[in-house]
Amino acid sequence: MDRPDWDEYFMEMAELAAKRATCLRRKVGAVLVKNKKVLATGYNGAPMNIEHCESTGCLREKMEVPSGERHEICRGVHAEQNLVAQAAIHGVKTENSIVYCTHQPCIICTKILINAGVKKIYFKNSYSDKFAENLLKKSNIEFIKYNN
């Protein structure tokens, strides 16, 4: 029997969540975990009750905005942002939790995860953001590249 360890189990959940993403550029999923229990999940896409980019097209593509720049020119909410929002809607404490992400969090999501009290972040795909990495080091959050 090929039973996954906990990290593999939760990372596979993040990958499953990413399949729900509606972003045309990058499909991202995230899972919030505490004491080996899933607290919330998130994926990237438009806010609730707002038309998705799959229907409207990607504004950033139309404007030729490079990846990693001008995050505000996007109708999508990042997976990590949706993760924290879902926890808040359901009254779930995020302090001392672990996040499993399919992609390295951007600087905006990094700041949100720091303020949410996350203690550890596993990510599978790199997204070079030195500023975010520096903030994580200063915040003492464990930041781990997941290799399966």
Side-chain angles (χ1 to χ4, degrees):
M1 188 165 151
D2 190 23
R3 186 173 187 215
D5 66 23
W6 288 108
D7 293 332
E8 183 179 4
Y9 178 66
F10 294 126
M11 188 58 75
E12 286 185 18
M13 286 184 170
E15 290 171 345
L16 181 60
K19 291 181 179 182
R20 292 274 310 149
T22 59
C23 178
L24 300 174
R25 282 186 160 194
R26 181 177 289 118
K27 307 278 188 202
V28 180
V31 177
L32 183 71
V33 175
K34 190 172 185 179
N35 300 323
K36 298 180 183 166
K37 304 288 185 257
V38 174
L39 303 179
T41 63
Y43 54 87
N44 55 336
M48 289 191 307
N49 303 316
I50 303 295
E51 205 171 6
H52 290 284
C53 298
E54 292 175 328
S55 302
T56 65
C58 178
L59 180 59
R60 292 169 54 84
E61 285 292 326
K62 290 175 188 171
M63 295 179 68
E64 299 180 2
V65 177
S67 179
E69 295 181 15
R70 306 286 315 269
H71 294 281
E72 75 280 6
I73 302 177
C74 180
R75 67 189 306 106
V77 179
H78 289 188
E80 302 90 338
Q81 295 167 0
N82 274 324
L83 180 82
V84 173
Q86 284 300 306
I89 285 171
H90 297 291
V92 175
K93 289 184 73 169
T94 58
E95 190 175 32
N96 294 315
S97 61
I98 299 171
V99 173
Y100 291 82
C101 299
T102 58
H103 293 72
Q104 180 177 336
C106 73
I107 185 60
I108 295 167
C109 291
T110 295
K111 291 187 278 188
I112 289 169
L113 294 175
I114 290 169
N115 278 358
V118 170
K119 69 176 182 179
K120 189 183 293 188
I121 300 169
Y122 287 93
F123 67 97
K124 192 166 188 177
N125 299 293
S126 294
Y127 178 81
S128 184
D129 189 330
K130 298 299 178 197
F131 184 38
E133 291 171 21
N134 189 40
L135 285 183
L136 286 166
K137 286 177 187 168
K138 289 181 179 182
S139 71
N140 294 319
I141 292 176
E142 288 185 69
F143 189 58
I144 303 158
K145 171 95 164 95
Y146 177 80
N147 294 311
N148 183 359

